[in-house]
Amino acid sequence: RTAQLISFMPSFFFLYQTKRKDEKIRFSSRQELIKYISNYLKLAQKEQFYIIGLNANSELIKNKLLSTGKDNSVMVDIKSIVDFISAHSPHSIIIAHSHCDYVSNPSLEDIQATRIIANLVRATGVKFLDNIIIVKDGNYSFAENSQL
């Protein structure tokens, strides 16, 4: 019975985080942001792609699931990123996605997509801060690894 209750904890925590979306959440470090987005992505059964918009004070404006893919890939429509920027006018954005194979290192496709998205975001006048890959037991930050 205890094991069954423990198995529900990630779902309860996710629900709690989801309900907190309307609160002003300020990130004072990249690690805080990674911890926040990890709660959405680390238990994903399929690859998912999120966009996170921040204001000039590093406060969360909005996070949004843009796409759910397959076991080993996720496609994102560039238009959905532009629509997000238009709708929420963030000062900066971070994108994040999960890898269900537990390998946090980026694929060639991840690197190429990050460059395209970063250039698009910068062309709109919004700062592109990072692409974070989340796996069950870790993460990979393009910014921390000088890949932006």
Side-chain angles (χ1 to χ4, degrees):
R1 192 159 229 220
T2 302
Q4 188 177 25
L5 288 174
I6 290 171
S7 72
F8 288 119
M9 289 182 75
S11 299
F12 288 131
F13 187 74
F14 178 78
L15 181 62
Y16 171 74
Q17 282 294 103
T18 304
K19 295 297 180 191
R20 288 187 60 204
K21 278 197 263 189
D22 294 333
E23 296 177 24
K24 283 287 185 198
I25 299 171
R26 185 172 191 277
F27 301 105
S28 59
S29 70
R30 184 178 320 280
Q31 289 308 317
E32 282 183 7
L33 182 96
I34 289 171
K35 183 177 177 184
Y36 171 82
I37 197 63
S38 289
N39 291 319
Y40 289 88
L41 287 169
K42 69 181 172 186
L43 298 177
Q45 299 297 312
K46 305 280 185 194
E47 287 201 13
Q48 295 181 331
F49 186 99
Y50 274 83
I51 187 168
I52 300 105
L54 304 175
N55 67 19
N57 295 320
S58 297
E59 294 172 330
L60 178 68
I61 295 172
K62 177 83 173 168
N63 78 47
K64 184 175 182 181
L65 174 65
L66 291 186
S67 183
T68 298
K70 300 177 183 178
D71 294 340
N72 62 353
S73 67
V74 63
M75 302 283 287
V76 66
D77 180 17
I78 295 295
K79 184 181 179 310
S80 63
I81 295 171
V82 173
D83 290 346
F84 180 91
I85 291 170
S86 296
H88 303 290
S89 302
H91 176 264
S92 57
I93 69 156
I94 293 104
I95 58 173
H97 71 281
S98 56
H99 277 184
C100 297
D101 61 5
Y102 306 115
V103 177
S104 61
N105 290 334
S107 66
L108 180 58
E109 291 83 4
D110 290 332
I111 294 167
Q112 292 171 338
T114 300
R115 287 185 184 137
I116 292 167
I117 293 168
N119 288 334
L120 169 82
V121 169
R122 290 178 186 127
T124 68
V126 174
K127 291 184 180 180
F128 183 83
L129 299 181
D130 207 349
N131 180 7
I132 301 167
I133 299 171
I134 304 292
V135 298
K136 184 178 179 184
D137 296 320
N139 64 76
Y140 181 93
S141 163
F142 277 69
E144 287 179 358
N145 287 280
S146 303
Q147 290 204 325
L148 291 181

